[in-house]
């Protein structure tokens, strides 16, 4: 659908740029950890963002065998490739090109994420979103969202895929109370501009995964190269973010959410509010009570 571009009075500026850290996870899957533990407070309610992408099967074929989670949500967005997920309760689904899995681990789940391909490109992102203390022990829940169910907004020179929240008056595939996340995938032609409204209290960042972009108001914009995250400043009077693609166009994620302002206690795949709750999570896992 075609929609007028939002008009902002005071776009946010870029506070700083962050380069991701190369690492591996699961059974040796190579990835880049864009949002690391030391940014959890600054980007509350977001705990982690991993970017993965390779044409080499050895970089991803071992996948993520059975592993536990408790206390947060995972959002897996596949740009290309096929990933099968299964869990200890018998749930199963297949993520394919352009699809999303939104999982609420809640009180606990043990699941696996394994590639269903032996060659070709595997590329995507996994975002961890914290849960409020009152929701950390809720039952686990899943939603698999095929690409065809993700709304798209057509703008001059741009397409916005609205995974969560809203853009230009269009509601996304997912809505969440409390953290009120906005998760957009922006595809911009060379020089194209998109303005996106954001609540002033939301923490927000942009991650450029193709091309390059300028982020911020005219006269105070920051160049954001490929594979960099731009943390957006939280100016009280700011009403959104302005993004302009570089000469080769750009593809980027725009992610924002309402902070929980609660203590964060993390031990690997368990994210709670206190050390005692972490001890209990580990004990429940060892005793087979997690899921």
């Amino acid at each position: 659908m075609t929609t007028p571009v939002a008009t902002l009075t005071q776009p946010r500026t870029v506070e700083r740029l962050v380069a991701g850290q190369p690492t591996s996870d699961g059974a040796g899957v190579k990835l880049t950890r864009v949002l690391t533990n030391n940014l959890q407070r600054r980007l509350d309610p977001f705990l982690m963002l991993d970017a993965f992408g390779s044409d080499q099967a050895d970089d991803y074929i071992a996948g993520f065998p059975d592993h536990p989670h408790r206390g947060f949500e995972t959002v897996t967005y596949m740009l290309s490739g096929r990933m099968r997920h299964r869990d200890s309760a018998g749930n199963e689904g297949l993520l394919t090109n352009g699809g999303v899995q939104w999982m609420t681990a809640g009180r606990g789940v043990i699941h696996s994420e394994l590639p269903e391909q032996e060659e070709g490109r595997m590329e995507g992102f996994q975002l961890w979103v914290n849960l409020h203390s009152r929701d950390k022990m809720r039952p686990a829940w899943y939603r698999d969202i095929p690409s065809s169910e993700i709304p798209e907004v057509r703008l001059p020179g741009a397409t916005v895929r609205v995974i969560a929240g809203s853009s230009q008056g269009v509601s996304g595939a997912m809505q969440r109370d409390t953290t009120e996340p906005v998760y957009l995938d922006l595809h911009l032609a060379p020089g194209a501009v998109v303005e996106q409204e954001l609540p002033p209290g939301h923490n927000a960042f942009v991650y450029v995964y193709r091309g390059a972009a300028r982020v911020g108001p005219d006269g105070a914009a920051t160049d954001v190269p490929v594979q960099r995250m731009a943390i957006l400043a939280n100016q009280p009077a700011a009403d959104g973010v302005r993004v302009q693609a570089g000469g080769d166009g750009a593809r980027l994620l725009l992610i924002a959410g309402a902070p929980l302002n609660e203590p964060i206690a993390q031990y690997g795949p368990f994210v709670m509010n206190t050390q005692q709750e972490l001890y209990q999570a580990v004990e429940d896992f060892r005793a087979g009570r997690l899921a």
Side-chain angles (χ1 to χ4, degrees), residues 117-182:
Q117 62 186 64
E118 296 180 358
E119 58 183 19
R121 185 159 186 80
M122 180 77 70
E123 183 178 11
F125 305 94
Q126 186 168 95
L127 176 72
W128 287 14
V129 187
N130 206 0
L131 286 169
H132 193 280
S133 54
R134 64 174 174 264
D135 296 322
K136 285 186 176 290
M137 295 298 286
R138 64 181 293 183
W141 176 90
Y142 293 88
R143 183 180 171 197
D144 286 338
I145 309 168
S147 182
S148 60
E149 293 183 10
I150 297 176
E152 294 188 351
V153 179
R154 310 289 183 183
L155 300 170
T159 298
V160 181
R161 308 198 77 216
V162 192
I163 295 168
S166 65
S167 180
Q168 319 296 328
V170 175
S171 294
M174 282 293 299
Q175 306 296 323
R176 273 290 184 251
D177 295 336
T178 309
T179 53
E180 301 174 2
V182 175

Side-chain angles (χ1 to χ4, degrees), residues 189-246:
V193 175
V194 170
E195 291 188 348
Q196 170 66 34
E197 295 179 345
L198 293 174
H202 275 37
N203 289 326
F205 64 91
V206 166
Y207 179 70
V208 177
Y209 65 93
R210 296 277 196 283
R214 287 180 61 78
V215 179
D218 284 335
T222 299
D223 290 321
V224 184
V226 70
Q227 296 182 338
R228 291 293 185 273
M229 175 171 71
I231 297 176
L232 303 182
N234 291 62
Q235 295 112 328
D239 53 359
V241 59
R242 183 182 190 273
V243 178
Q244 181 172 18

Side-chain angles (χ1 to χ4, degrees), residues 14-239:
V14 172
E15 181 177 297
R16 57 177 156 144
L17 298 181
V18 176
Q21 303 298 314
T23 186
S24 65
D25 209 339
V29 177
K30 293 184 179 180
L31 50 84
T32 299
R33 186 142 295 161
V34 180
L35 198 168
T36 53
N37 283 14
N38 64 339
L39 292 173
Q40 289 177 345
R41 274 284 161 217
R42 173 61 188 85
L43 293 174
D44 178 14
F46 304 111
L47 300 163
M48 188 188 80
L49 176 67
D50 284 345
F52 54 91
S54 178
D55 298 307
Q56 304 299 315
D58 288 347
D59 290 344
Y60 62 74
I61 198 65
F64 305 89
D66 282 351
H67 57 281
H69 290 303
R70 173 179 278 184
F72 60 98
E73 299 188 292
T74 66
V75 184
T76 307
Y77 179 30
M78 295 295 294
L79 297 179
S80 58
R82 295 162 57 88
M83 189 88 77
R84 173 77 59 181
H85 66 86
R86 296 184 174 91
D87 77 3
S88 49
N91 297 303
E92 181 176 333
L94 180 65
L95 271 171
T96 58
N97 295 0
V100 171
Q101 183 209 63
W102 199 293
M103 181 184 81
T104 303
R107 70 169 305 278
V109 68
I110 300 171
H111 76 152
S112 64
E113 299 155 292
L114 299 174
E116 277 214 346
Q117 62 186 64
E118 296 180 358
E119 58 183 19
R121 185 159 186 80
M122 180 77 70
E123 183 178 11
F125 305 94
Q126 186 168 95
L127 176 72
W128 287 14
V129 187
N130 206 0
L131 286 169
H132 193 280
S133 54
R134 64 174 174 264
D135 296 322
K136 285 186 176 290
M137 295 298 286
R138 64 181 293 183
W141 176 90
Y142 293 88
R143 183 180 171 197
D144 286 338
I145 309 168
S147 182
S148 60
E149 293 183 10
I150 297 176
E152 294 188 351
V153 179
R154 310 289 183 183
L155 300 170
T159 298
V160 181
R161 308 198 77 216
V162 192
I163 295 168
S166 65
S167 180
Q168 319 296 328
V170 175
S171 294
M174 282 293 299
Q175 306 296 323
R176 273 290 184 251
D177 295 336
T178 309
T179 53
E180 301 174 2
V182 175
Y183 192 145
L184 309 177
D185 180 12
L186 282 65
H187 302 186
L188 283 72
V193 175
V194 170
E195 291 188 348
Q196 170 66 34
E197 295 179 345
L198 293 174
H202 275 37
N203 289 326
F205 64 91
V206 166
Y207 179 70
V208 177
Y209 65 93
R210 296 277 196 283
R214 287 180 61 78
V215 179
D218 284 335
T222 299
D223 290 321
V224 184
V226 70
Q227 296 182 338
R228 291 293 185 273
M229 175 171 71
I231 297 176
L232 303 182
N234 291 62
Q235 295 112 328
D239 53 359

